[in-house]
């Protein structure tokens, strides 16, 4: 089954027993070996087996008869249990995939921010010789940029300059995405060629 490794051990065992019933390894009405035997077979504690059996009993896959043991239910119930848990496994797999993607996104954002910081440092140290310069622009409340996103403003296409940060009331937003929306009093930090300064000024001032 999918994503079995990410399930608790007792759930894995419950799924395996249900699968054995579904493929007729255990017949309907058959008495399954006691917990101690099953714990040895699966190399787990009797408590883990107890939890697995309880899961199956709740779904009517097996029946626990006092002083007798575990009795196999119907194959239909076993199949229903397997089908019902397949979607759970799929959802669990997607959650783990999302977590992995978020981790990778965080790593990428960190790397981007580091590169931006290096650009800013280099621009500050070698402003006289570096063809790419860093500039800052205040967005007044009257600016036509207010309320627009970076994408909808076509900032780069119009100015040939790249926004590397937005200083918003003292909080620095590094590497703002295309959906970031300009607000009044924002301070744009951009890099580009000095000959493009007038383009930014015209766009910011509207």
């Amino acid at each position: 089954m999918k994503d079995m490794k990410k399930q608790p051990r007792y759930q894995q065992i419950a799924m395996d027993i249900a699968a054995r019933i579904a493929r007729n390894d255990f017949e309907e009405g058959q008495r399954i070996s006691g917990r101690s035997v099953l714990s040895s077979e699966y190399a787990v504690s009797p408590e883990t087996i107890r939890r697995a059996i309880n899961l199956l009993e709740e779904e009517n896959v097996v029946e626990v008869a006092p002083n007798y043991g575990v009795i196999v239910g119907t194959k239909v119930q076993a199949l229903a249990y397997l089908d019902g848990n397949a979607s759970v496994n799929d959802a669990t797999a997607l959650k783990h995939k999302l977590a992995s993607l978020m981790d990778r996104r965080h790593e990428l954002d960190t790397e981007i921010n580091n590169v931006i910081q290096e650009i800013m440092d280099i621009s500050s140290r070698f402003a006289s010789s570096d063809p790419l310069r860093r500039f800052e622009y205040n967005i007044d409340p009257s600016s036509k940029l207010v309320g627009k996103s970076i994408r909808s403003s076509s900032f780069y296409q119009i100015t040939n300059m790249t926004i590397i940060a937005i200083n918003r009331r003292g909080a620095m937003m590094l590497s703002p995405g295309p959906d970031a929306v300009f607000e009044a009093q924002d301070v744009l930090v951009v890099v580009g060629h000095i000959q493009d300064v007038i383009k930014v000024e015209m766009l910011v001032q509207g």
Side-chain angles (χ1 to χ4, degrees):
M1 300 297 295
K2 291 186 292 184
D3 207 37
M4 291 284 283
K5 292 182 179 179
K6 297 181 177 67
Q7 289 180 303
R9 184 62 176 143
Y10 70 92
Q11 290 183 1
Q12 295 180 37
I13 294 171
M15 291 286 285
D16 186 66
I17 292 174
R20 292 169 72 178
I21 295 173
R23 62 175 181 260
N24 298 318
D25 290 349
F26 294 136
E27 297 181 358
E28 295 181 10
Q30 175 184 342
R31 177 181 177 274
I32 300 179
S33 302
R35 292 176 186 170
S36 59
V37 175
L38 287 174
S39 65
S40 297
E41 180 179 349
Y42 285 101
V44 295
S45 67
E47 174 60 21
T48 300
I49 294 297
R50 185 191 68 78
R51 296 182 69 183
I53 295 300
N54 284 349
L55 276 181
L56 295 175
E57 186 178 28
E58 290 174 1
E59 299 296 328
N60 298 317
V61 178
V62 300
E63 177 186 353
V64 178
N67 302 320
Y68 182 73
V70 180
I71 303 172
V72 175
T74 65
K75 182 176 179 179
V76 171
Q77 290 297 124
L79 288 171
Y81 178 78
L82 292 171
D83 288 341
N85 280 274
S87 60
V88 174
N89 291 334
D90 290 342
T92 302
L94 289 174
K95 288 178 182 178
H96 282 282
K97 183 176 181 179
L98 177 60
S100 176
L101 290 173
M102 293 297 289
D103 288 340
R104 287 165 55 190
R105 176 182 175 182
H106 175 71
E107 292 174 1
L108 185 59
D109 286 344
T110 300
E111 186 174 353
I112 290 173
N113 291 339
N114 289 338
V115 172
I116 288 174
Q117 189 61 52
E118 289 179 14
I119 291 174
M120 295 172 68
D121 291 343
I122 292 173
S123 297
S124 298
R125 292 198 304 268
F126 305 105
S128 60
S129 59
D130 192 347
L132 289 180
R133 303 283 295 277
R134 186 184 71 176
F135 303 91
E136 296 186 3
Y137 299 90
N138 294 315
I139 298 182
D140 293 328
S142 60
S143 173
K144 291 184 178 180
L145 285 181
V146 175
K148 288 186 176 181
S149 67
I150 294 177
R151 177 188 286 112
S152 65
S153 70
S154 301
F155 191 94
Y156 177 77
Q157 291 81 355
I158 293 174
T159 66
N160 293 321
M161 285 196 172
T162 301
I163 300 174
I164 61 173
I166 297 177
N167 188 334
R168 179 165 296 165
R169 295 180 292 278
M172 189 69 76
M173 300 166 51
L174 296 177
S175 184
D179 295 322
V181 176
F182 297 114
E183 295 184 5
Q185 307 305 329
D186 279 350
V187 178
L188 305 185
V189 183
V190 305
V191 293
H193 295 277
I194 193 168
Q195 64 264 27
D196 294 318
V197 166
I198 188 64
K199 298 177 183 177
V200 181
E201 292 177 348
M202 293 178 64
L203 182 62
V204 171
Q205 294 172 4

